[in-house]
């Protein structure tokens, strides 16, 4: 009986060409595994395609809710944004995909896991750190790094290789954007985006929505309800988080929300330019931020900002299955106990405009904050506070003045 390899299979040209390549170079029985994290119609026809390409079996694992509840929502609670712009759409999905690949490998008694990530990208790091953390005994195969046996350098090469191995599928040799899609976002790289001097061709590029210029001339008002930091209702209707994100994607997309053009620093050391569409995620993150403004005390809010940045780095670098991520998440969870309330926003041509935030745990006290004198704040108290708060400045100024008189 042949040894088995689990192939992370998308159904695209790259991973389809890997099937005969694995059989030819390793003599493995190839078990394909597609992890559904909300990529939609990209799953259509996968089973037939995998079998025609020589796979012994195909698993399609539908784990969108697990992806959202256990990976996306913790990042929302943390306020995890990489380099101030990227909402981690691809990064969050890789650890749960790695986890499922390991589970299928154990079920099938496989000796190896293969992925189609290139040697220049972040995904090779994310997949392999996840696999190493969960199954250090499994061999990892990355064809794009196998220079002696993987000779294909273009889509034309891959199509020719497939034809030579009896795989005649309707792949297009023309170059297009490199995309990654899940429920949270879609990313775009390649073509005109490879030169940061070029403006994105949004008319050709966008998938989830429209540019702000093409959004409606009237704004759309929505409300989001959170309970302990997690979204539980949209416009007053309670639903699971994955359904909230699905609806927010449609709402945000048609209002031009969540389009980000970024030059980011990859884990492997290079800069890369891409455009991300995250309409629902952008709304959700902004609503959560607005709610925390009302509820968290000053010190916690300031410290949590640093924790959120570190959480984003950890996720971006593929270090989900680490003690550090667990510790950071434990801190974040402790801050979310009272992050409960409703956030109203108007969406207008790419903008998210506050329309009011309420919470039973709000620290905003009108009696204190009002310009009128309240019972809880005596204006005269400020004088003593300022004297003490500025004492070191006053002492230094006195010293400097005395020094000049010498």
């Amino acid at each position: 009986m042949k040894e088995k390899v689990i192939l992370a299979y998308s159904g695209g040209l790259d991973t389809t060409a890997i099937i005969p390549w694995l059989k030819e170079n390793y003599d493995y029985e190839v078990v394909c595994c597609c992890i559904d994290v909300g990529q939609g119609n990209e799953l259509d026809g996968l089973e037939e395609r995998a079998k025609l390409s020589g796979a012994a079996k195909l698993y399609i694992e539908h784990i969108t809710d697990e992806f959202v509840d256990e990976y996306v929502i913790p990042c929302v609670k943390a306020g995890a944004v990489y380099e101030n712009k990227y909402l981690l759409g691809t990064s969050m999905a890789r650890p749960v995909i790695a986890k499922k690949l390991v589970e299928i490998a154990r079920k099938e008694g496989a000796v190896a896991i293969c992925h189609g990530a290139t040697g220049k990208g972040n995904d090779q790091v994310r997949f392999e750190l996840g696999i190493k953390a969960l199954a250090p005994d499994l061999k990892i195969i990355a064809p794009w790094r196998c220079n002696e046996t993987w000779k294909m350098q273009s889509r034309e090469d891959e199509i020719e290789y497939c034809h030579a191995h009896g795989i005649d599928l309707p792949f297009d040799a023309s170059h297009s954007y490199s995309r990654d899609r899940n429920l949270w976002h879609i990313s775009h790289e390649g073509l005109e985006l490879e030169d940061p001097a070029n403006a994105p061709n949004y008319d050709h590029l966008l998938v989830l929505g429209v540019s702000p210029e093409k959004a409606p001339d009237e704004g759309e008002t929505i409300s989001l309800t959170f309970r302990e930091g997690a979204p539980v209702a949209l416009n007053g209707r309670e639903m699971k988080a994955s359904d909230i994100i699905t609806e927010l994607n449609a709402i945000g997309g048609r209002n031009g929300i969540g389009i980000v053009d970024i030059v980011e620093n990859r884990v492997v050391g290079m800069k890369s330019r891409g455009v991300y569409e995250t309409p629902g995620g952008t709304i959700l993150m902004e609503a959560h931020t607005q709610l925390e403004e009302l509820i968290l005390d000053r010190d916690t809010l300031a410290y949590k900002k640093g924790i959120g940045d570190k959480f984003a780095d950890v996720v971006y670098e593929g270090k989900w299955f680490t003690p550090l991520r667990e510790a950071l998440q434990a801190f974040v969870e402790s801050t979310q106990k009272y992050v409960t309330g409703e956030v109203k926003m108007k969406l207008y041509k790419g903008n998210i405009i506050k329309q009011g935030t309420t919470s039973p745990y709000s620290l905003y006290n009108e009696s204190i904050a009002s310009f009128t004198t309240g019972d809880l704040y005596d204006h005269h108290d400020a004088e003593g506070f300022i004297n003490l708060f500025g004492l070191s400045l006053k002492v230094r100024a006195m010293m400097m003045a005395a020094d000049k008189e010498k």
Side-chain angles (χ1 to χ4, degrees):
M1 183 177 292
K2 292 183 178 181
E3 292 183 325
K4 294 180 182 180
V5 60
I6 305 301
L7 171 63
Y9 187 64
S10 68
L13 178 56
D14 287 350
T15 53
T16 297
I18 288 173
I19 296 173
W21 179 85
L22 283 169
K23 296 173 70 174
E24 180 178 2
N25 290 280
Y26 292 88
D27 196 29
Y28 281 143
E29 179 181 321
V30 180
V31 177
C32 289
C33 187
C34 176
I35 312 299
D36 174 18
V37 285
Q39 51 265 51
N41 58 12
E42 292 180 12
L43 303 178
D44 294 347
L46 274 192
E47 186 164 3
E48 181 182 7
R49 179 170 293 186
K51 294 291 180 64
L52 287 173
S53 304
K57 187 184 298 186
L58 171 69
Y59 285 87
I60 298 180
E61 299 289 298
H62 300 286
I63 60 163
T64 302
D65 285 334
E66 180 180 350
F67 167 54
V68 170
D69 294 341
E70 298 184 21
Y71 297 82
V72 172
I73 298 305
C75 289
V76 172
K77 290 179 177 180
V81 181
Y82 182 69
E83 296 187 339
N84 300 314
K85 287 186 177 181
Y86 174 41
L87 301 188
L88 300 171
T90 299
S91 311
M92 293 185 296
R94 294 328 189 204
V96 70
I97 292 173
K99 178 185 174 185
K100 291 301 171 182
L101 292 173
V102 168
E103 290 177 3
I104 298 301
R106 296 305 193 204
K107 182 178 178 179
E108 288 287 332
V111 299
I113 292 176
C114 177
H115 65 78
T118 72
K120 287 186 176 182
N122 294 315
D123 282 342
Q124 59 180 339
V125 179
R126 297 165 182 155
F127 283 136
E128 295 184 33
L129 290 189
I131 295 167
K132 290 177 185 295
L134 299 174
D137 56 301
L138 290 179
K139 182 179 181 180
I140 299 173
I141 301 172
W144 283 95
R145 302 202 304 258
C146 298
N147 296 332
E148 294 183 359
T149 53
W150 183 267
K151 303 296 185 181
M152 294 164 276
Q153 299 298 317
S154 67
R155 291 183 66 83
E156 289 82 2
D157 290 345
E158 291 176 323
I159 291 173
E160 183 178 340
Y161 183 82
C162 287
H163 285 166
H165 289 78
I167 304 169
D168 189 15
L169 292 168
F171 288 115
D172 184 2
S174 63
H175 186 60
S176 62
Y177 295 107
S178 173
R179 291 183 165 113
D180 178 78
R181 182 175 184 175
N182 58 48
L183 187 69
W184 185 248
H185 89 152
I186 186 167
S187 64
H188 312 268
E189 295 178 346
L191 297 185
E192 79 277 0
L193 301 180
E194 292 188 345
D195 184 351
N198 294 331
N201 182 359
Y202 286 129
D203 290 340
H204 180 60
L205 179 150
L206 296 177
V207 172
L208 299 182
V210 299
S211 63
E213 295 89 339
K214 293 188 176 182
D217 291 332
E218 292 188 9
E220 184 171 354
T221 300
I222 64 169
S223 70
L224 276 166
T225 305
F226 290 81
R227 186 177 302 129
E228 295 186 2
V232 294
L234 172 61
N235 293 330
R237 294 182 294 116
E238 290 209 8
M239 59 184 80
K240 61 184 181 180
S242 59
D243 288 341
I244 290 175
I245 294 171
T246 298
E247 291 206 22
L248 285 177
N249 278 335
I251 297 169
R254 63 176 174 255
N255 286 285
I257 305 294
I259 302 169
V260 171
D261 182 353
I262 182 175
V263 175
E264 70 191 62
N265 291 292
R266 287 183 176 175
V267 178
V268 294
M270 70 181 72
K271 288 184 181 289
S272 66
R273 194 270 188 98
V275 169
Y276 298 99
E277 292 180 76
T278 321
T282 300
I283 297 168
L284 200 57
M285 293 286 273
E286 176 61 23
H288 184 266
T289 297
Q290 290 183 22
L291 192 58
E292 284 192 328
E293 287 178 359
L294 205 62
I295 295 165
L296 297 186
D297 64 275
R298 183 189 185 203
D299 287 345
T300 301
L301 189 64
Y303 195 81
K304 184 176 177 291
K305 179 63 172 68
I307 294 295
D309 290 342
K310 185 60 180 178
F311 200 99
D313 289 344
V314 167
V315 176
Y316 187 84
E317 294 169 2
K319 298 176 181 176
W320 186 272
F321 300 109
T322 61
L324 178 56
R325 193 275 305 168
E326 293 175 359
L328 292 171
Q329 190 169 336
F331 169 85
V332 170
E333 287 294 337
S334 73
T335 68
Q336 300 300 290
K337 182 177 180 181
Y338 298 108
V339 182
T340 294
E342 183 182 33
V343 181
K344 295 179 180 178
M345 299 166 288
K346 179 185 286 186
L347 312 178
Y348 178 68
K349 289 188 177 295
N351 296 288
I352 301 175
I353 305 165
K354 284 186 178 183
Q355 297 294 292
T357 308
T358 57
S359 170
Y361 305 110
S362 171
L363 296 184
Y364 181 91
N365 187 300
E366 189 172 354
S367 177
I368 298 175
S370 172
F371 283 103
T372 59
T373 301
D375 295 335
L376 295 175
Y377 193 92
D378 187 332
H379 289 269
H380 293 94
D381 291 342
E383 182 177 355
F385 165 75
I386 295 170
N387 285 336
L388 295 178
F389 195 64
L391 182 61
S392 62
L393 295 176
K394 184 175 182 178
V395 170
R396 184 177 185 277
M398 293 169 61
M399 179 274 292
M400 296 290 287
D403 185 61
K404 287 181 179 180
E405 293 177 357
K406 291 181 181 179

